[in-house]
Amino acid sequence: MGIESFCSVDAYEPFWDWNLTWHTENPDFTQCFQNTVLVWIPCIYLWVCFPVYFLYLRYHDRGYIQMSNLNKAKTALGLILWIVCWADLFYSFWERSQNIFRAPFFLVGPTVLGITMLLATFLIQYERIKGVQSSGIMMIFWLISLSCATVVFRSKIKHALNTGAEVDAFRYATFCIYFILLLVQLILCCFPERPPLFSETVNDPNPCPEFSASFLSRITFWWITGLMVQGYRRPLEAKDLWSLNKEDKSDEVVPGLARNWTKEWAKAKRQPLNIVYSPKKQQKPSDSNGDVTEEAEALIIKPSQKSSEASLFKVLYKTFGPYFLMSFLFKAAHDLLMFAGPEILKLLIRFVNNKAAPDWQGYFYTGLLFVCACLQTLILHQYFHICFVTGMRLKTAIVGVIYRKALVITNSARKTSTVGEIVNLMSVDAQRFMDLATYINMIWSAPFQVILALYLLWQVALSTFAVYVTIDKNNILDAQKAFVSLALFNILRFPLNMLPMVISSIVEASVSLKRLRVFLSHEELDPDSIIRGPMTAAEGCIVVKNATFSWSKNDPPLLNSINFTVPEGSLVAVVGQVGCGKSSLLSALLGEMDKKEGYVVVKGSVAYVPQQAWVQNATLQDNIIFGREMNESRYKRVIEACALLPDIEILPAGDKTEIGEKGVNLSGGQKQRVSLARAVYCNADVCLFDDPLSAVDAHVGKHIFENVIGPKGILKNKTRVLVTHAINYLPQMDTILVMSDGEISEMGSYQELLKQDRAFAEFLRTYANAEQSMENSDTNSPSGKEGKPVENGILVNEAPGKLMHRQLSNSSTYSRDTGKSQHHSSTAELQKPLAEKNSWKLTEADTAKTGRVKATVYWDYMKAIGLFISFLSIFLFMCNHIASLASNYWLSLWTDDPVINGTQHYTNVRLGVYGALGISQGIAVFGYSMVVSVGGIFASRHLHLNLLHNVLRSPMSFFERTPSGNLVNRFSKELDTIDSAIPPIIKMFMGSTFNVIGACIIILLATPIAAVIIPPLGLVYLFVQRFYVATSRQLKRLESVSRSPVYSHFNETLLGVSVIRAFEEQKRFIKQNDKKVDENQKAYYPSIVANRWLAVRLEYVGNCIVLFAALFAVMARNKLSAGLVGLSVSYSLQITAYLNWLVRMSSELETNIVAVERVKEYAEMEKEAEWSIEQTAPASTWPEEGKIEFRGYGLRYREDLDLVLKNINVTINGGEKIGIVGRTGAGKSSLTLGLFRINEAAEGEIIIDGVNIAKIGLHDLRFKITIIPQDPVLFSGSLRMNLDPFDQCSDEDIWRSLELAHLKNFVSSLPAKLNHDCAEGGENLSVGQRQLVCLARALLRKSKILVLDEATAAVDLETDKLIQSTIKSQFEECTVLTIAHRLNTIMDYTRVLVLDRGEVVECGSPEHLLQQKGVFYSMAKDSGLV
């Protein structure tokens, strides 16, 4: 034979000899086998890996590593190994010259080995040049080489000890040197090299240790241990987290997906796709249950060819597929190894039965079992790691792409997805993909496992034991068949359980995929519809020729044939009635509308002040600078010009004060001025102002016009377009555009328009008398787009309670030192002393609790399920597992039944009992699954209702302090966890607990000696688990907390998207979003690695249990029956998986129960007073007269702040009309807050018709007073629902109120009349119209006391006049309190209250106060009324 002649000269040495290797007490390989196979295995491995690895290194360059001592040592050893191998070769040549002929092997072996060692040395250097710090390929090579050499080494020693054997001294010596060098190489390989030059980690303050970790450390996840230790010693904080790896960061991940999607989308767009936007809600009268379809989906009409839809799946696959494919290989290797267990078990049982077999075989099988289990562990967790990292990148990419898309979609598309829905895409749908990534391989892996298991079962026990023993009397059930089958059944159980989960996960993901695809396919704004050129002298700064605009491609045009030219540096006013298209015109110039035809040029950069100020949750200074360079002197000038100095004085931390979400702690006027300052600061060539003066007092308005907008203001050389209702500034304009019904009806200077003597001149004459009084008044311009159904995403969903609550203490409370002079020498003085500055922060970031989750949280959850259900489920679990243990023990007794005449007796009894136990198991499983699922639904309903109830009962201050992101997070993510994550975790946790206990009992029964091993291993387990949970729980909390800012920032962006686009700040916002997502993933990444860390540690403990169970079985093989050995080992094989699950589930349970903790947290917040109190409820007719008395009344916003109102003593008689006036921040709105008990009195009391309002329920009070708020609030729903939420009025009443509110014509022109759908926040009505809806709502309620909070700020003069007359006639017998800045509206009131710094300074009839020449007189003078 060929190989034998290769091994020896005379071909007498056999290649393989069973008697030498297997059937012996002292096994060994033949010389020939040692000299060929054992030498070639490592060589073949390295040469096979080399081409692939070489190419991989070529294209993955991580930087150059400098030569280190470690590297020098490795290289030197590699060269010495080569010399040692070739020394053997030359020795063989020398022997030839001495006429000693050796077998061909002695020449070939050393040659091949030497060349392989050279290759290894080359790779060591090549890896260094390419920046590999620790190499897995080389590590495995040295390990294989050493293993093979060890076998040879043992054989050589055995041979040498054999007396009388001749020894080849030279080759023995070289081999010993070779062996020692291999050992040293392997040890050196365990240490990592230093990081490459110029790598990112060098300048990173807290780099992730993963890259610089050695190969061993990476496969066992040892590198995270430092963080685990830290987390065990003290709760982790955000600053302890490592930076993300470069390839996981947003700026690496997102552009890839965005690029691929753009390509795919462009391809699909070539074939036209019809998208139809379905209306917000389809009212279905036929539905008795009033089921209204909530989600507004873009309906895609089936295109003719299927191929035209852009496939998001294809894009995701393209982007993340290559990295993810690695997981396929790992998974396949793991699945194959999994079946090694039962096969080795078969051999082990055969060994126990065969008393003649030599002992070492038993130990050999035990070792083999252990090695297989360990390999399986390492491979499985590499697989999981890849899956989780892919999932994480998927989420990052999807969130990033959604954010980028939200900045470019058109307004009509924006309307189809409410803010809530878009946030949902980010939170829930992105999460679905993350979850799917870990499961998707089960799609092929599960069937593969099932098929393999069935094939192996077929060889053993036909299908199951029952069929097997009944088919044929001679089929006896012996231990080998029974327990190998049982082990295979256990393997089968997992894929069969997983498949339904995977399928449901895939279904969910495909729904999410479709939603994402629809969102990402929305039409985008056409960046080229407006030509934005650099400044040149030609034509004018803004040129519009024959332009027609609409809000979306399919809408009728809103602005028709617009023609005008604005020369550079001129000041243009746009005037017209409510809803005539003024704001739309500005939107059109910004490119926010769809241009149907015509030509529009806007030269230079643009600044924009929207009608509703958009304020970010950032410091005041950041809001003004808005990402530009800080320029001290310019900043100072802007602040002074915009009249912000006094406000900055009042704010707790000066201009470093944090402004709450949507500017909750600023008054309407302050928000508007901040918005204005932002536009002025950015120094743009063109400024578009959408009615910024309506929200400020008269004197401030005058100041702003003179210092900013007017001919002498800061912006005098810029091109300015001002939408306004204030007539008194019109004479100073260069040009006035008069709009009506979406067209420019007149155009020219003030004088020209008067000469033309058309509608505008008529209008001016009518209001000439009111002209002076028309100075801008401080009302929070309620908002939106006075125009048609749009809203440049500005006002969205104000918290309902915000109605009257605009100034938070901090803006209204005057600090004690307002006596300071108003002039500052530097901005440094704008900032209050540091101590004060940091002590005050408005919004509370989500905070993470620390320490163990308290037992009460679990108890709360059990109570939410119901205690009966909780204990019932525990009882059913017990039943199931007792039945399971009993049936397997019964099986082992059955297999030990003696075989007489080739058959077993009692087969029927055995089978009957076994069957009965099986059926009872089934019933118990069904029972507890049902009970836990139903219980979970009960619990989440209970917790959700509780949370909702509590949040709605929270005082207003809670909504101001709490960013919307936190609320969204609680209601979406945390409740989703309680809904869908906790019940299955509880099921698995209970299951694994009982399984582990059961397995330990069985192993102890079979081999009592195991009692020595199990408790210590149990302790190790407990320790590792406690150690892990401390860190993992805190990471989960940090991850939850860092998720809120992502949502808050996203919400904010959606609200201010038109401002961001106008200022061209998209890049900066995208960067901010990326940063926030990375911050969130920074906490998520260590948590997945910690999970792997734990699993690897635990499975090793489990593998030790397998090792000892098998070892004790081998040691006691003479005393044990095969049945017990089978039972014990098959249980121990499962115990690894169960223990692993147990710890994962207990930690999952603890990390997920945090959701319950966070939901409960809001339940324990302070609440408002009771809604209704039986004992003190006033009569149903109260208040009959409407008399209000303030007695020594005082109010403060928070315990730690000064009084905002103090010492108010006023009596208002029924039916009086009272005007309340005062500068911004004087406490006007605070008075109304006190009346509604939005804030409780700090001192004194308010009495209405003899009832102390503090003593009755809130509903009883609030139901009887009506307010028309400063910010009109509408809810999404029909117009009728908004006017009459409690369905108390007839249609006639409603139409009558609309007529009185001057809305009748508008509403009758709507196709759906009263059923017209109001968009979220009423965006599809202009601001003025919304204000009128609020008036109509007040008219319908007809209460005795009416409060008007600057309610007519956003309407033009005509409408304002009409409203005032309506109020006079309709509320004649009522007590009316009006907060006003337009003083002319209250000149005919009974009395006027003048507030200043929270005190009543004057009170009396307007005529009387004017004669007094006091504060009221000076205000009237500012307004030009005197």
Side-chain angles (χ1 to χ4, degrees), residues 127 426 548 665 800 871 1006 1096 1142 1264 1287 1323:
E127 284 176 339
M426 267 193 157
T548 301
N665 52 333
F871 288 113
V1096 171
L1142 174 62
K1264 304 290 187 176
D1287 263 337
E1323 298 178 11

Side-chain angles (χ1 to χ4, degrees), residues 1217-1221 1383 1386-1387 1389-1394 1400 1402-1407 1409 1416:
K1217 308 285 179 283
I1218 302 285
I1220 303 173
V1221 297
L1383 296 187
I1386 55 164
M1387 289 314 264
Y1389 275 27
T1390 341
R1391 279 193 293 163
V1392 174
L1393 283 185
V1394 184
V1400 177
E1402 298 174 14
C1403 177
S1405 66
E1407 299 73 39
L1409 292 181
F1416 184 68

Side-chain angles (χ1 to χ4, degrees), residues 328-542:
F328 275 36
L329 306 174
F330 283 125
K331 185 73 177 132
H334 170 257
D335 287 354
L336 289 170
L337 274 174
M338 201 156 71
F339 287 99
E343 291 304 300
I344 297 171
L345 176 63
K346 179 162 48 174
L347 298 172
L348 195 63
I349 293 176
R350 193 183 290 164
F351 162 78
V352 172
N353 278 334
N354 173 8
K355 302 296 179 202
D359 274 355
W360 69 266
Q361 290 182 5
Y363 297 120
F364 171 69
Y365 291 140
T366 305
L368 205 55
L369 203 56
F370 183 65
V371 170
C372 273
C374 291
L375 270 178
Q376 212 176 319
T377 299
L378 292 179
I379 290 174
L380 179 65
H381 295 295
Q382 282 311 309
Y383 156 73
F384 270 136
H385 187 60
I386 291 178
C387 290
F388 275 108
V389 170
T390 307
M392 177 174 100
R393 288 180 190 170
L394 259 177
K395 185 175 176 183
T396 300
I398 286 172
V399 170
V401 169
I402 291 172
Y403 188 85
R404 285 159 173 75
K405 181 73 178 184
L407 287 173
V408 294
I409 58 176
T410 60
N411 286 290
S412 52
R414 244 298 266 109
K415 270 167 37 202
T416 59
S417 312
T418 61
V419 176
E421 285 170 302
I422 301 179
V423 171
N424 222 4
L425 288 174
M426 267 193 157
S427 56
V428 181
D429 296 334
Q431 190 65 39
R432 292 264 156 84
F433 284 102
M434 209 156 163
D435 299 340
L436 182 67
T438 49
Y439 284 138
I440 190 137
N441 276 324
M442 289 306 288
I443 272 294
W444 61 266
S445 162
F448 171 66
Q449 289 180 32
V450 171
I451 291 165
L452 203 54
L454 289 176
Y455 166 72
L456 292 171
L457 276 172
W458 188 255
Q459 292 181 316
V460 191
L462 196 57
S463 60
T464 58
F465 312 138
V467 181
Y468 183 68
V469 294
T470 44
I471 284 179
D472 181 350
K473 273 282 189 290
N474 295 335
N475 275 353
I476 54 171
L477 194 64
D478 61 4
Q480 184 182 327
K481 291 194 182 71
F483 289 106
V484 173
S485 309
L486 200 61
L488 288 167
F489 283 139
N490 284 331
I491 287 181
L492 258 179
R493 190 179 296 170
F494 183 68
L496 290 177
N497 281 343
M498 286 298 284
L499 267 178
M501 273 173 77
V502 178
I503 290 167
S504 72
S505 184
I506 285 178
V507 170
E508 283 177 349
S510 69
V511 172
S512 296
L513 195 69
K514 180 166 169 246
R515 281 214 293 247
L516 277 170
R517 196 193 68 231
V518 167
F519 179 73
L520 291 177
S521 308
H522 277 325
E523 47 175 324
E524 299 183 1
L525 289 174
D526 175 13
D528 308 326
S529 66
I530 307 288
I531 302 166
R532 297 280 284 266
M535 291 295 290
T536 49
E539 295 190 83
C541 194
I542 302 175

Side-chain angles (χ1 to χ4, degrees), residues 91-301:
Y91 182 65
S92 299
F93 282 135
W94 179 80
E95 281 184 324
R96 290 219 146 178
S97 68
Q98 301 299 316
N99 281 344
I100 306 172
F101 286 97
R102 296 281 183 184
F105 159 76
F106 287 102
L107 293 174
V108 178
T111 314
V112 174
L113 206 55
I115 293 172
T116 308
M117 288 305 161
L118 277 180
L119 176 67
T121 314
F122 164 74
L123 277 176
I124 291 173
Q125 282 306 315
Y126 193 62
E127 284 176 339
R128 177 180 71 80
I129 294 166
K130 291 293 181 188
V132 178
Q133 285 175 268
S134 177
S135 160
I137 298 273
M138 295 309 291
M139 176 104 187
I140 295 169
F141 169 70
W142 296 121
L143 186 67
I144 296 177
S145 305
L146 189 70
S147 312
C148 293
T150 311
V151 175
V152 180
F153 195 53
R154 175 186 169 269
S155 179
K156 282 206 185 314
I157 292 173
K158 201 177 128 192
H159 180 69
L161 294 179
N162 208 348
T163 45
E166 58 163 321
V167 175
D168 184 346
F170 181 79
R171 286 199 174 88
Y172 263 57
T174 54
F175 187 78
C176 288
I177 297 169
Y178 170 76
F179 183 75
I180 292 164
L181 290 176
L182 283 180
L183 186 63
V184 178
Q185 272 287 30
L186 181 65
I187 293 167
L188 288 182
C189 217
C190 297
F191 298 101
E193 291 280 352
R194 58 172 80 167
L197 291 174
F198 320 116
S199 79
E200 321 241 317
T201 48
V202 180
N203 40 25
D204 192 342
N206 197 1
C208 180
E210 179 179 8
F211 265 116
S212 47
S214 68
F215 174 70
L216 267 184
S217 166
R218 284 169 74 168
I219 57 171
T220 56
F221 299 96
W222 186 261
W223 53 271
I224 194 184
T225 310
L227 188 72
M228 307 293 282
V229 173
Q230 210 177 358
Y232 184 65
R233 291 198 181 133
R234 62 170 174 76
L236 289 174
E237 296 159 37
K239 63 172 196 299
D240 302 322
L241 302 174
W242 306 309
S243 315
L244 277 178
N245 291 327
K246 183 163 168 276
E247 46 268 40
D248 298 332
K249 284 193 177 141
S250 295
D251 43 17
E252 282 286 311
V253 178
V254 186
L257 182 63
R259 246 195 332 270
N260 289 336
W261 170 252
T262 316
K263 270 188 221 150
E264 176 72 21
W265 194 45
K267 220 162 50 189
K269 255 185 8 189
R270 288 187 212 121
Q271 300 137 327
L273 171 70
N274 314 324
I275 291 192
V276 176
Y277 293 117
S278 64
K280 235 326 159 252
K281 310 224 177 343
Q282 291 93 7
Q283 293 279 349
K284 294 194 234 154
S286 56
D287 260 22
S288 49
N289 16 356
D291 173 33
V292 181
T293 45
E294 269 288 0
E295 302 263 309
E297 285 279 351
L299 306 173
I300 295 189
I301 293 177

